[in-house]
Amino acid sequence: MQDQENQASPNPDEELASAQPSTPAEPAAQGTPSLEEQLAATEAKLAEMHEAFLRAKAEGDNIRRRAQEDVAKAHKFAVESFAEAMVPVKDSLEMALKVEAPTIESMKEGVEMTLKQLNAAFERNRLIEVVPAAGDKLDPNKHQAVAMVPAEQEANTVVAVLQKGYMIADRLLRPAIVTAAQPK
């Protein structure tokens, strides 16, 4: 009887194994692409990046070339604004010379008007006069002392201005020519 019971109740482990269907072995990485697919994708990405690099390089070269052209034009036409401001001054001087019977008063008035035009042209182009006052400290960056003279003021100060100086913006064009007080 025991034999019949043993046959009727099979081993539980065998029962579990028989309940699961047998399936063929699946590749472990079915969701990942093959090496050939990865290589093709990488080569496509490389070609895309190379194209982007070439475009960026060409754009950089174009920007550099345009900047060089702009600098060349700026150098070529740097005095254009100043020249435009000076043309009316020249016209005024030429008109003054055409007057057949000038009087002292008309000549003086014409010179004053021409000087106003010249000053306006200087202002528009940031050409600034350097005219130190008597007693100002001598500034070697803006003044040139041509003589040291005895004076009743502190040493190394301006006594007299012999010629105005000029600056363009912050750059010295010509220093003011001055005499300075010598040490006592």
Side-chain angles (χ1 to χ4, degrees):
M1 195 149 315
Q2 267 187 347
D3 286 341
Q4 287 178 347
E5 286 178 24
N6 285 344
Q7 285 179 354
S9 62
N11 188 351
D13 291 337
E14 288 176 15
E15 206 173 34
L16 281 175
S18 65
Q20 294 177 350
S22 63
T23 57
E26 295 178 9
Q30 178 134 0
T32 60
S34 70
L35 289 177
E36 290 83 16
E37 291 170 340
Q38 288 179 354
L39 178 61
T42 303
E43 286 176 344
K45 184 97 171 156
L46 174 65
E48 180 183 324
M49 292 293 188
H50 184 68
E51 179 70 23
F53 165 74
L54 290 176
R55 288 182 188 274
K57 183 179 178 197
E59 185 175 339
D61 290 343
N62 287 340
I63 290 170
R64 186 177 308 111
R65 181 186 45 79
R66 278 189 228 115
Q68 287 173 343
E69 288 173 1
D70 290 345
V71 168
K73 284 180 184 176
H75 283 261
K76 184 176 181 181
F77 300 110
V79 297
E80 183 177 12
S81 173
F82 188 66
E84 285 176 354
M86 295 304 296
V87 168
V89 175
K90 183 179 185 292
D91 290 343
S92 294
L93 291 171
E94 287 174 345
M95 287 175 52
L97 291 174
K98 287 181 182 178
V99 175
E100 290 187 24
T103 63
I104 301 268
E105 293 81 26
S106 67
M107 287 295 278
K108 184 177 181 197
E109 183 179 332
V111 169
E112 287 172 350
M113 289 175 60
T114 304
L115 183 59
K116 283 182 186 179
Q117 286 178 323
L118 186 61
N119 285 334
F122 281 8
E123 274 184 40
R124 276 195 306 272
N125 291 281
R126 300 180 354 195
L127 187 61
I128 304 162
E129 289 182 349
V130 176
V131 186
D136 285 353
K137 184 107 175 115
L138 187 66
D139 182 355
N141 296 320
K142 294 181 181 179
H143 312 141
Q144 179 179 352
V146 292
M148 299 291 277
V149 295
E152 294 297 322
Q153 59 193 46
E154 189 178 329
N156 295 325
T157 57
V158 175
V159 175
V161 177
L162 305 176
Q163 187 179 57
K164 295 178 186 178
Y166 289 94
M167 295 182 70
I168 297 177
D170 294 333
R171 177 187 261 170
L172 186 67
L173 180 64
R174 180 179 83 186
I177 308 295
V178 299
T179 56
Q182 67 185 28
K184 296 179 185 178

